[in-house]
Structure formats: structure tokens, C-alpha cells
Amino acid sequence: MDNRQAIGSWLSGPRAAAEDAGVDFGYRGEQLGLPEEGPGSIARPGRRIGAIAIDWALCMVIAYGLLARGNPQAMGNWALGLLFVMSLLTVGTVGSTPGKRLLGLRVVSEEGGRLGLVRVLVRSALLCIGIPALIWDRDGRGLHDRLARAVQVRI
């Protein structure tokens, strides 16, 4: 093996090395029966991060304007509580938060319907912890979505 190939496989990660060896991983969402592109396909990470940034900014503005009374520590705590409540109410009823709606995303169950209250509660609580959302599977779903058996799709 040439040194350039060894360095390239190390930098590209194990997936690229496995693909070079002939392993076919398919596209994101193929195992879930979702289309590769277009409506109903798995949401890309950039859109999902943008949606949570919009939701967080909205919660920070509400917390600053209505609840924190100038205390920065209280503002962060109130914003986290608002994010939990907003996620619980909006994902549980219409399937998307304001940020997801603006970016054309929706949260659905793996079977394709709406999430039940318990699954939305689990998903929202894990999202507020933060760490599960940073751990992704090969379909690009966060650990909070996997545990709630949910998937974020494009509208």
C-alpha cells in the first residue's frame, strides 16, 4: 500500500476506507424505506442544525424579554425550559417546531405517522440534554431520534 493511500484512508475515516474496499452502504434513509431525495427523504444535518439554532434563538429572545429580567444565568435556564416546552407542544401537535417549519422539516415516526406523547416527551428531554443529538447513526439520525423511534424528514 502506498503511504498516500494509508494517510488518505486515515483522514477520510472508516466509512471511506470501507467504500474503497467495495462495501455498499446505500443512501441515508434506505433502511427506513425513505426516498433518497425530495419530500419524505432524511433531512440533512445543515438544515437540522439551522432549525435548532432558530428555535434556540427564539427561546432566548422570549426568555430575555419576558422571563429573565436581565439575569444572563436565568435567561439560559429559562430558554432551555422554553425549548423543552416548545418542542413538546409543537412536535407533539403539528410535527415540527418553528425552526423546522421555516426550513421545511418535519418529525415523524419510523412508521410514517405522528409521534405519540411519550415518544415526543423522550425526544424533547434528550434533545435538551444535548449529547444524544450529537451522536448520529449511518442514516444521519441523532440518538434522541433513534431512542424515540423518530426521523426528521423534508417536507
Side-chain angles (χ1 to χ4, degrees):
M1 175 181 261
D2 188 0
N3 281 342
R4 289 175 293 177
Q5 289 176 326
I7 292 172
S9 67
W10 176 75
L11 289 174
S12 303
R15 181 179 178 124
E19 286 175 345
D20 289 344
V23 176
D24 181 26
F25 288 105
Y27 62 87
R28 292 180 180 196
E30 184 175 21
Q31 291 180 332
L32 299 170
L34 300 174
E36 186 171 2
E37 293 192 16
S41 64
I42 293 273
R44 295 283 186 212
R47 280 190 180 191
R48 293 192 337 244
I49 291 169
I52 193 69
I54 291 169
D55 292 336
W56 181 251
L58 179 64
C59 290
M60 289 291 279
V61 167
I62 293 170
Y64 178 76
L66 298 178
L67 304 168
R69 300 183 185 176
N71 184 348
Q73 177 67 33
M75 182 177 66
N77 294 337
W78 279 110
L80 188 61
L82 285 171
L83 181 69
F84 175 75
V85 171
M86 180 179 67
S87 178
L88 187 65
L89 293 176
T90 57
V91 172
T93 56
V94 295
S96 61
T97 62
K100 287 183 189 350
R101 180 64 70 178
L102 283 172
L103 296 180
L105 304 178
R106 186 164 186 229
V107 179
V108 296
S109 71
E110 289 177 343
E111 298 82 32
R114 283 191 3 200
L115 290 178
L117 179 62
V118 173
R119 287 164 66 180
V120 172
L121 182 67
V122 167
R123 184 185 184 281
S124 299
L126 290 173
L127 179 64
C128 287
I129 292 172
I131 303 239
L134 299 174
I135 301 169
W136 296 349
D137 66 1
R138 69 172 276 237
D139 286 324
R141 294 188 309 157
L143 185 59
H144 65 297
D145 281 333
R146 284 195 53 111
L147 292 175
R149 294 191 344 247
V151 62
Q152 293 184 52
V153 297
R154 295 172 52 193
I155 298 176

